[in-house]
Amino acid sequence: MADSWVGLAGRIGSDLHLDLEAGGRGSRRAVLGRALREAIRDGRLAPGTLLPPYRSLAADLGLARNTVAETYAELVAEGWLVARQGSGTRVAPRAKPAGSPRTPKAAPARSDPPAHDLRQGLPDPSSFPRAAWLASARRALNAAPGEAFGPGDPRGRAELRRALAEYLARVRGVRTDPGTIVVCSGSAHALRLLFSGKVLRGPLAVESYGLPFHRSILQAARVRTVPLALDEHGARTTDLAESKGVRAALLTPAHQFPTGGPLAPERRAAAVDWARAGGGVLLEDDYDGEFRYDREPVGAVQGLDPQRVVYLGSVSKSLSPALRLGWMVLPEHLVEPVLRAKGEREAWAGVTDQLTLADFIESGRYDRHIRRTRQRYRDRRDRLVDMLARRAPHIAPTGIAAGLHAVLRLPPGTERSVTKAAARQRIALDGLAHFRHPAADAPAEDGLVVGYAAPADHAYGAALDALCRILPPPSGTV
Amino acid sequence: MADSWVGLAGRIGSDLHLDLEAGGRGSRRAVLGRALREAIRDGRLAPGTLLPPYRSLAADLGLARNTVAETYAELVAEGWLVARQGSGTRVAPRAKPAGSPRTPKAAPARSDPPAHDLRQGLPDPSSFPRAAWLASARRALNAAPGEAFGPGDPRGRAELRRALAEYLARVRGVRTDPGTIVVCSGSAHALRLLFSGKVLRGPLAVESYGLPFHRSILQAARVRTVPLALDEHGARTTDLAESKGVRAALLTPAHQFPTGGPLAPERRAAAVDWARAGGGVLLEDDYDGEFRYDREPVGAVQGLDPQRVVYLGSVSKSLSPALRLGWMVLPEHLVEPVLRAKGEREAWAGVTDQLTLADFIESGRYDRHIRRTRQRYRDRRDRLVDMLARRAPHIAPTGIAAGLHAVLRLPPGTERSVTKAAARQRIALDGLAHFRHPAADAPAEDGLVVGYAAPADHAYGAALDALCRILPPPSGTV
């Protein structure tokens, strides 16, 4: 018996020595506890092993007896060791996990980054205005009242809702006051709250081309979606009156996503008329309303009737999708139901970013940032259009008056082979088929959705070049 | 006809003058557009009203003709106006919303702040380390690679997951690597992902006293909860083996919430044994693991078997619940299911706070902040205990070795009248009944859950004083 624990003390001693050398923060007791846990984890101290009396170990290691005694007690409290009166302290039978000592497994492999990133919807990450954002953060955090760091208003910080109410009225023609704005993490979060939280019910009319992740959120909420046909005037909202049972419609009026046109005035009016006549609700996804190049922005439909429209916006295109910061402007009667659906502990944007964005907007930094990036994306769009005119004049870019992407119309039947070629060349982009509602009536059209904002400046030329090389030749030349 | 639009032009002109004076940013065209929209909204320009020809309005206002023509075209595009060849431009029939001109309704009334805030679970908001946080934000944002502002890894930033893996191992005995950590907004978000996302299935064993909002999240996910009895050794995990069908158990091993004791070593072992034997999963809510006052912290159960325990933590107690920043440490086989449940656009913490917290931890600022607040909360606890010993020695405070709250055991049958008295005095706190599982077997015990962290330093004495005044007198003295 004496022999066995003397040997063990030696082993523990040397292990501990190693760990004491390796350092790490904390008292000697903390270091000793860590070393013992490690030895048990690794299997160096097997379940059932008798530990040396704390006096012996203390002597071997040159530690105070109390230090070792307290460490033992602590590991007993944590379930690593068991102590029985008169029979000493042993490694607990279940302390070693089933299976062999675990070597940390590599993180699940993520796919390699693309050679050229022409995905839609992504702003150039290098355009994030770090210095200006930090300046606003400093000002906002220093000025914030203490209660800002308490549990807070589930609608989001009042500072931000005030700034947004003023900004959205000025820039997007949205009619609101801070009481009807609810801060969230973006349009996906908003749709989940509205439909999984049963604030709104389906069936929901959606544009026959739209974001697949919107459809999957709605599917998860068991909301049936009914596709609305699109034509050169945008979504055929005039069909809403004939869609039996539809209670809400999700639209992208400023810039149809992804095909790119604004909703025609009479279609805007028809949508509002439908909502008024039948108690319906319009969801206006104003995902890139600030980025219009060839004329002033088209104002929000929300301004036509704030009591019939839920307006959704975010900073995902204007600043960064990584901020996870967005907002809903709600009809008054929906504010309380949304807050109930959100719940007091629901995920929402952190207070530091909310306060920072409020200052960023009110200081005029947001306007300046938008102007700068708008100019930059306009230049990129022009380069794309020029490149096509020179190298692929048979391919018509459409939806180019606004946004961070264009649609390249392809000859019928060619989209699949082109997107396959893109995948082979590691060009990240999607074909129109990716966005098409599975129940859409009209025949599928061939096209590529080309985002021109994501690549860094130095990489954009090469990305355009790679794109041109996978485009199909003019028909008749093959 | 000429008369009507001349008068109108005058009216529009004066309105515009006001608005041009009021200023606002943007070109003259933007200002004109805004003024027209406002006039239509307010009803000053009624639906159907004929507008003056743009030449006349331009002359009246001293603007270029093009400016007015473009503004008209824009408002037509937005649906405010309708233009018909040969019949001029009119205010669109539906541009004025149903109902009278809307005066912004006051925000829904929120209840007044309490006179004394003794709610559990809230750190003192004034303890938020603004300067240190900003210093970390500056360092982290300046050092971050460009891709940090792109869509990012759904597990959360690698910088933060690395810092957490090291920190949790060192301080809480958690065994993990960055690949098995998923950043989220806190334990509520984690439970929703795990159960509404069908990563785990019920029935779920929960402690018979626990957080009501946890139970409501589980209810929303249609997960049946089965209460586990509590005694002086914590939750009776030894009963798990007899709970037929239970597949997971939610525990607060370091500091039972809210009653306050640590889970006894043999109960920790029993929980892990149960999970191993039947393929069960333990959910370890380590909600205030850093705040232990009278001895070293009890390590996490997760360290006993990382493949059977989902470990949940957050900064809600240590820094601020307003940051909405937490983490799950997952068994390897649950990482991909959680990411699927999360979805690519699910709400999660913003990148700036993630990067900032990573630096905050790695720079040692987090440790310093914890040490400082721990000392502060220990002092507050001591003041509470002293006050009770002097003024209400018949009331036993329990669960005081750790955390941000204590439980004051009350004479049987008195809790309801005491919490009513608290409400009358506007003292915010909860009785034990608030936390009791509706299906709990054991008879309800009377007690108050008193959070001692939330009040500002200067307000704490008055809060304790107010508390003492509502406590029931010793039995036999009434």
Side-chain angles (χ1 to χ4, degrees), chain B residues 35-105:
Chain B
L36 283 170
R37 283 189 202 94
E38 273 314 315
I40 297 170
R41 274 171 197 153
D42 297 352
R44 285 174 285 158
L45 286 175
T49 307
L50 184 68
L51 262 67
Y54 65 85
R55 293 173 307 277
S56 317
L57 188 60
D60 282 0
L61 298 173
L63 294 171
R65 286 184 185 184
N66 259 358
T67 302
V68 182
E70 282 166 11
T71 307
Y72 276 21
E74 191 167 307
L75 268 69
V76 168
E78 291 175 15
W80 297 96
L81 303 177
V82 284
R84 282 225 169 67
Q85 194 64 37
S87 72
T89 302
R90 290 175 185 274
V91 177
R94 86 274 320 143
K96 190 176 167 300
S100 53
R102 195 172 87 93
T103 44
K105 214 170 137 183

Side-chain angles (χ1 to χ4, degrees), chain A residues 25 29 41 74 76 78 102 130 138 141 144 149 173 175 265 268 296 299 320 322 332 351-353, chain B residues 29 41 74 76 78 102 130 138 141 144 149 170 175 265 268 296 299 320 322 324 332 351-353:
Chain A
R25 295 177 202 135
R29 180 169 132 200
R41 275 172 197 152
E74 191 168 306
V76 168
E78 291 176 13
R102 194 171 87 94
R130 303 182 193 210
R138 183 163 44 245
L141 256 69
F149 302 99
R175 295 159 65 188
R268 295 161 69 101
E296 292 277 305
S320 161
E332 277 167 25
V351 68
T352 54
D353 283 339
Chain B
R29 180 169 132 200
R41 274 171 197 153
E74 191 167 307
V76 168
E78 291 175 15
R102 195 172 87 93
R130 302 183 194 209
R138 185 164 41 245
L141 256 69
F149 302 98
R170 172 164 60 78
R175 295 158 65 190
R268 297 162 66 100
E296 291 277 305
S320 163
R324 309 311 305 145
E332 276 167 27
V351 69
T352 55
D353 283 339

Side-chain angles (χ1 to χ4, degrees), chain B residues 238-270:
Chain B
T238 38
D239 294 352
L240 279 169
E242 291 142 43
S243 312
K244 290 281 171 263
V246 165
R247 303 196 204 185
L250 173 59
L251 302 170
T252 51
H255 184 227
Q256 202 284 323
F257 183 87
T259 64
L263 190 64
E266 66 276 13
R267 296 280 173 83
R268 297 162 66 100

Side-chain angles (χ1 to χ4, degrees), chain B residues 167-174 254 284 286 289-290 297-301 303 311:
Chain B
Y167 174 79
L168 294 173
R170 172 164 60 78
V171 172
R172 305 295 301 123
V174 168
E284 177 171 26
D286 198 31
E290 283 116 342
V298 179
V301 169
Y311 173 91

